[in-house]
Amino acid sequence: MQCVGNQCIGYKSTIGTTSHNVFHRPARLNQLNIQCAAAPATANGFASGGVGKSRADWQSSCAILASKVESQQQNTDNSTGADQITVVNGHSSLDLVPIKKLPKPLTIADLSPSPSHGSTLRVAYQGVPGAYSEAAAGKAYPNCDAIPCDQFEVAFQAVELWIADRAVLPVENSLGGSIHRNYDLLLRHRLHIVGEVQLPVHHCLLALPGVRKEFINRVISHPQALAQCELTLTKLGLTVTREAVDDTAGAAEFVAANDLRDTAAIASARAAELYGLNILADGIQDDSSNVTRFVMLAREPIIPRTDIPFKTSIVFAHEHGTSVLFKVLSAFAFRNISLTKIESRPHRNRPIRVVGDENVGTAKHFEYLFYVDFEASMADVRAQNALAEVQEYTSFLRVLGSYPMDMTPWSPSSSSK
């Protein structure tokens, strides 16, 4: 099967055989030849010692890197007469949350397929210290240097621009459902899923010391956390205003930083410890079996295997709507491949399909992209043959990643408290 849509990993299969080829294509950044910020290249504006150890040096290096990308892109646009706004990886700015200490620069050894868990890596996550995403990054890569980012998109950019080695981002929750923003970003960016981690989530109601529940007239947290605790908040008698913020730990930080004695936050017990808040109520999620699934992202894919349980994630579309969905699903069912998730998202480039004559006012249907996770490795001939068949039915097909499944035993009591 040929790779589709500028896919960075592809596979060729022959139906009825067990042979397959795996090939890698070096990742490119907007077709520009840009050196890593950590490399000793004075031509890019960096001293031979790398990006530096201080916070100011780090911020300056990020700015220089972004400016060099913009400068080269502008030269390219001017030569072709293009009048588009110059961007970095599709975005006009690089707004990263500063970190206190930057690890040693990347070396050529870091470009190999995903290293073993426990290696010292820079791992980007969305939120501030105390966020569940930080705990997921620690579970996925113990002893890593976790880099907080203020937006999901910044975490993607941090990996693309070599500021981080990996990103760990949530994609779905057992109570709140899918995090749609990250599904859209998976398609927009060219990172690869190299693993998954499932984290039990344990919510707490936090407030400033001395504040009692009856003083609370507002509760703030991430929209998913608010949804996961809705029934419990009502049972606690907190029929108050509920406001959404960017992340759970950020809500705790906001209450503490602004001395809000009439506001409570939903976050982890670790966030309470970090920001000096008291726990008014513990374990307030509506269901104790509350789990968030995170995916680990990298610039390069890993080589699939068949000796351990693997999962593969794909996204596909068809120019004639959803009529081929049954055929696609049958390709997996015929080969006894279990699907673990199906998610549909609007096709942004073609959101509406008009049926019949437009002048007669005929029906209009939505167009969708379909995300599918299935339990098989791309090294498995069944998966190769299934995708070869799926490719015949679809106008667009992309493999987002083939990676080991999280087989950690289920234990709600070991949640991130």
Side-chain angles (χ1 to χ4, degrees):
M1 183 184 70
Q2 297 177 344
C3 69
V4 181
N6 294 326
Q7 181 68 18
C8 291
I9 180 172
Y11 307 86
K12 295 177 63 179
S13 65
T14 303
I15 297 178
T17 69
T18 59
S19 64
H20 64 277
N21 297 323
V22 181
F23 62 89
H24 303 277
R25 185 184 310 155
R28 292 180 293 176
L29 181 64
N30 286 346
Q31 307 295 326
L32 299 177
N33 183 18
I34 303 169
Q35 294 180 312
C36 170
T42 56
N44 271 353
F46 302 107
S48 60
V51 296
K53 297 183 179 180
S54 70
R55 174 174 175 178
D57 289 343
W58 183 85
Q59 291 176 314
S60 176
S61 299
C62 290
I64 293 173
L65 175 60
S67 67
K68 294 299 180 184
V69 174
E70 292 189 2
S71 176
Q72 294 185 49
Q73 184 66 56
Q74 286 174 349
N75 293 336
T76 303
D77 289 346
N78 291 337
S79 63
T80 58
D83 57 358
Q84 298 177 350
I85 298 176
T86 302
V87 295
V88 180
N89 285 321
H91 309 288
S92 58
S93 65
L94 177 63
D95 186 16
L96 294 174
V97 176
I99 54 176
K100 296 180 180 179
K101 181 181 179 182
L102 188 67
K104 63 179 182 180
L106 290 174
T107 66
I108 191 65
D110 296 315
L111 303 181
S112 60
S114 180
S116 301
H117 287 191
S119 299
T120 301
L121 295 174
R122 292 170 290 183
V123 180
Y125 69 93
Q126 187 274 329
V128 298
Y132 294 107
S133 292
E134 182 192 38
K139 181 179 179 181
Y141 300 105
N143 302 318
C144 71
D145 290 330
I147 302 176
C149 302
D150 65 349
Q151 302 175 37
F152 289 129
E153 188 143 11
V154 174
F156 279 84
Q157 290 188 62
V159 178
E160 288 178 329
L161 294 177
W162 297 72
I163 295 170
D165 306 314
R166 301 287 186 270
V168 174
L169 298 169
V171 290
E172 59 180 326
N173 176 266
S174 58
L175 298 181
S178 299
I179 290 85
H180 294 132
R181 178 61 176 162
N182 283 333
Y183 276 96
D184 294 339
L185 291 173
L186 281 171
L187 186 62
R188 177 183 300 179
H189 295 268
R190 290 297 173 182
L191 300 182
H192 302 268
I193 302 177
V194 296
E196 68 172 2
V197 60
Q198 298 182 13
L199 183 76
V201 175
H202 189 93
H203 289 309
C204 301
L205 186 67
L206 312 180
L208 289 169
V211 174
R212 301 197 300 268
K213 284 189 295 185
E214 51 266 31
F215 297 161
I216 302 299
N217 57 35
R218 181 175 63 159
V219 175
I220 63 174
S221 191
H222 187 275
Q224 286 269 346
L226 292 173
Q228 293 162 20
C229 302
E230 182 177 0
L231 297 178
T232 304
L233 289 176
T234 301
K235 291 179 182 178
L236 291 173
L238 293 174
T239 55
V240 297
T241 302
R242 300 167 191 180
E243 296 182 8
V245 295
D246 288 340
D247 62 274
T248 55
E253 182 186 41
F254 182 78
V255 170
N258 293 277
D259 195 30
L260 301 177
R261 308 194 67 81
D262 63 344
T263 302
I266 297 176
S268 66
R270 170 170 160 75
E273 180 182 351
L274 288 175
Y275 302 112
L277 301 179
N278 285 347
I279 299 177
L280 299 181
D282 192 11
I284 64 172
Q285 61 272 9
D286 295 339
D287 189 338
S288 60
S289 301
N290 184 17
V291 180
T292 297
R293 174 174 169 251
F294 296 78
V295 293
M296 295 112 80
L297 304 174
R299 290 178 292 274
E300 297 291 337
I302 61 174
I303 298 176
R305 300 159 53 183
T306 58
D307 58 331
I308 60 175
F310 254 64
K311 182 182 290 185
T312 300
S313 298
I314 64 172
V315 56
F316 64 87
H318 194 272
E319 59 185 7
H320 298 303
T322 60
S323 60
V324 300
L325 184 57
F326 175 78
K327 296 180 180 178
V328 169
L329 300 182
S330 297
F332 296 101
F334 177 75
R335 295 169 177 86
N336 199 29
I337 298 176
S338 298
L339 272 61
T340 60
K341 183 175 179 62
I342 303 176
E343 178 74 30
S344 62
R345 296 292 296 146
H347 196 317
R348 293 197 172 190
N349 294 331
R350 299 177 56 189
I352 296 178
R353 172 169 53 96
V354 179
V355 179
D357 187 355
E358 297 185 23
N359 298 324
V360 188
T362 51
K364 298 177 178 62
H365 299 301
F366 295 135
E367 292 279 13
Y368 294 99
L369 292 161
F370 293 94
Y371 294 80
V372 172
D373 295 341
F374 60 87
E375 293 183 347
S377 168
M378 283 298 297
D380 188 337
V381 68
R382 297 179 306 149
Q384 297 174 34
N385 291 336
L387 291 186
E389 183 176 342
V390 169
Q391 190 177 13
E392 297 178 2
Y393 304 137
T394 58
S395 58
F396 167 76
L397 172 64
R398 176 179 163 192
V399 177
L400 297 171
S402 190
Y403 48 92
M405 295 174 58
D406 183 0
M407 305 299 291
T408 304
W410 167 240
S411 179
S413 61
S414 64
S415 60
S416 178
K417 292 186 177 183

